[in-house]
Amino acid sequence: MSTDRRVLVHPDRTTLAGSVAARFITKMIDLIEDEGEAHVVLTGGSVGIEVLEAIAHSPARDSLDWSALHVWWGDERWLPRGDDERNETQARHALLDHLAIPDENVHPFPASDDGLDLEEAASRYADELRAHARDGAEHPRFAIVFLGVGPDGHIASLFPERPGPLVDDRTVIALDDSPKPPSGRLSLTLPVIRNSERVWLVLAGADKAPALGLALAGANPADVPAAGAQGTKRTVFFVDQDAATDVPESLTTPPSYWTGAMDQQDWMPSEWTPSSPRG
């Protein structure tokens, strides 16, 4: 397991979203050029959706061959297809509806009106993950898994003091007792997250600072699930200044980031510097 963790601190959430968007486009261009395709996992939440909106509005957006990208989700609310509270719906409005990405490359979780119960839906998504895996694996090789972090330290729909963070024999779990509404949820498990190449955790706000501090201090994932989120190549916490109050200075890396003051037409991948690793 990689111990290469970085914390990139940004002055505000707008700059944060623009920086992550630019970094994502750059990384995907490189990976698709090298490997022909890439699989990524999206997250919900206000900051996660702001990142997707920033990608949609980036002048570099169309430099990426979106037909070579497969999109998955880390978790989903058990609601009808098209419900405004579904992560899928929000991601489509923010980004996917604006892209030339094939329908077969978008892999949403089942919805509550698909004629399945929660456990059947979890099994269905596990089957889809397996169908797109290589060499008999249980899920695709994810280039990037995006995660938000709740004030309680939860990631995806893996909550503290619930069984979810401890599940290691499945790729997908069903929850019917989520502490956040709605009670019904579907979620990837920690082993899937920890087998991804890169985990990018994106969080903003002073209410996230305690959870971030505990995650970086190596808390038990059963108590702070975010502490268990690591990629095999790199783990990056993208945070705003308000969320960074409990971050040890030794873990922070001065980022090179897009800002609203920069002429967007002038942004190019070469803006990244050695002080801001492109992984």
Side-chain angles (χ1 to χ4, degrees), residues 241-255:
Q241 194 68 52
D242 290 340
T245 55
D246 294 333
V247 175
E249 186 174 345
S250 61
L251 288 178
T252 61
T253 303

Side-chain angles (χ1 to χ4, degrees), residues 52-114:
L52 299 187
E53 291 172 341
I55 294 171
H57 291 94
S58 169
R61 183 191 79 184
D62 294 333
S63 301
L64 199 165
D65 179 7
W66 292 97
S67 69
L69 193 71
H70 283 259
V71 174
W72 305 77
W73 276 264
D75 73 319
E76 187 56 274
R77 298 169 174 86
W78 190 236
L79 295 167
R81 188 78 61 190
D83 190 285
D84 287 343
E85 294 300 310
R86 277 180 62 91
N87 292 336
E88 174 203 355
T89 305
Q90 295 175 16
R92 288 185 182 277
H93 291 167
L95 175 64
L96 300 179
D97 287 348
H98 308 287
L99 303 175
I101 183 169
D103 289 344
E104 59 268 24
N105 287 18
V106 180
H107 308 276
F109 277 98
S112 63
D113 55 351
D114 284 350

Side-chain angles (χ1 to χ4, degrees), residues 43 74-75 147-149 154-159 185-188 193:
T43 185
D75 73 319
L147 294 171
V149 179
H154 83 267
I155 52 173
S157 284
L158 305 177
F159 294 96
R185 303 277 184 118
L186 296 161
S187 180
L188 300 184
I193 293 169

Side-chain angles (χ1 to χ4, degrees), residues 5-244:
R5 296 192 303 173
R6 289 181 171 85
V7 181
L8 301 185
V9 182
H10 302 77
D12 54 62
R13 60 190 293 156
T14 299
T15 306
L16 167 65
S19 176
V20 178
R23 192 184 188 100
F24 173 79
I25 292 170
T26 302
K27 176 53 63 177
M28 287 298 102
I29 290 171
D30 289 346
L31 289 176
I32 290 171
E33 181 178 350
D34 291 344
E35 303 179 18
E37 69 171 19
H39 291 256
V40 301
V41 175
L42 302 184
T43 185
S46 59
V47 181
I49 297 304
E50 286 174 32
V51 170
L52 299 187
E53 291 172 341
I55 294 171
H57 291 94
S58 169
R61 183 191 79 184
D62 294 333
S63 301
L64 199 165
D65 179 7
W66 292 97
S67 69
L69 193 71
H70 283 259
V71 174
W72 305 77
W73 276 264
D75 73 319
E76 187 56 274
R77 298 169 174 86
W78 190 236
L79 295 167
R81 188 78 61 190
D83 190 285
D84 287 343
E85 294 300 310
R86 277 180 62 91
N87 292 336
E88 174 203 355
T89 305
Q90 295 175 16
R92 288 185 182 277
H93 291 167
L95 175 64
L96 300 179
D97 287 348
H98 308 287
L99 303 175
I101 183 169
D103 289 344
E104 59 268 24
N105 287 18
V106 180
H107 308 276
F109 277 98
S112 63
D113 55 351
D114 284 350
L116 305 169
D117 64 30
L118 259 175
E119 291 295 341
E120 290 170 339
S123 179
R124 176 77 60 86
Y125 207 62
D127 289 343
E128 186 161 2
L129 288 167
R130 193 177 303 112
H132 289 82
R134 300 178 182 176
D135 304 322
E138 289 295 305
H139 56 81
R141 180 163 55 88
F142 291 120
I144 296 175
V145 170
F146 279 106
L147 294 171
V149 179
D152 60 354
H154 83 267
I155 52 173
S157 284
L158 305 177
F159 294 96
E161 301 178 1
R162 293 289 197 279
L166 302 178
V167 173
D168 61 6
D169 61 349
R170 281 165 283 169
T171 57
V172 184
I173 58 170
L175 299 81
D176 59 9
D177 62 348
S178 167
K180 291 184 62 178
S183 59
R185 303 277 184 118
L186 296 161
S187 180
L188 300 184
T189 58
L190 265 182
V192 177
I193 293 169
R194 292 168 68 92
N195 277 314
S196 63
E197 293 181 340
R198 299 163 190 83
V199 171
W200 289 7
L201 299 102
V202 185
L203 56 159
D207 62 329
K208 308 295 181 66
L212 176 60
L214 289 169
L216 293 171
N220 189 326
D223 301 321
V224 184
Q230 297 184 51
T232 61
K233 290 187 175 181
R234 182 162 294 156
T235 307
V236 184
F237 292 81
F238 297 90
V239 306
D240 72 352
Q241 194 68 52
D242 290 340

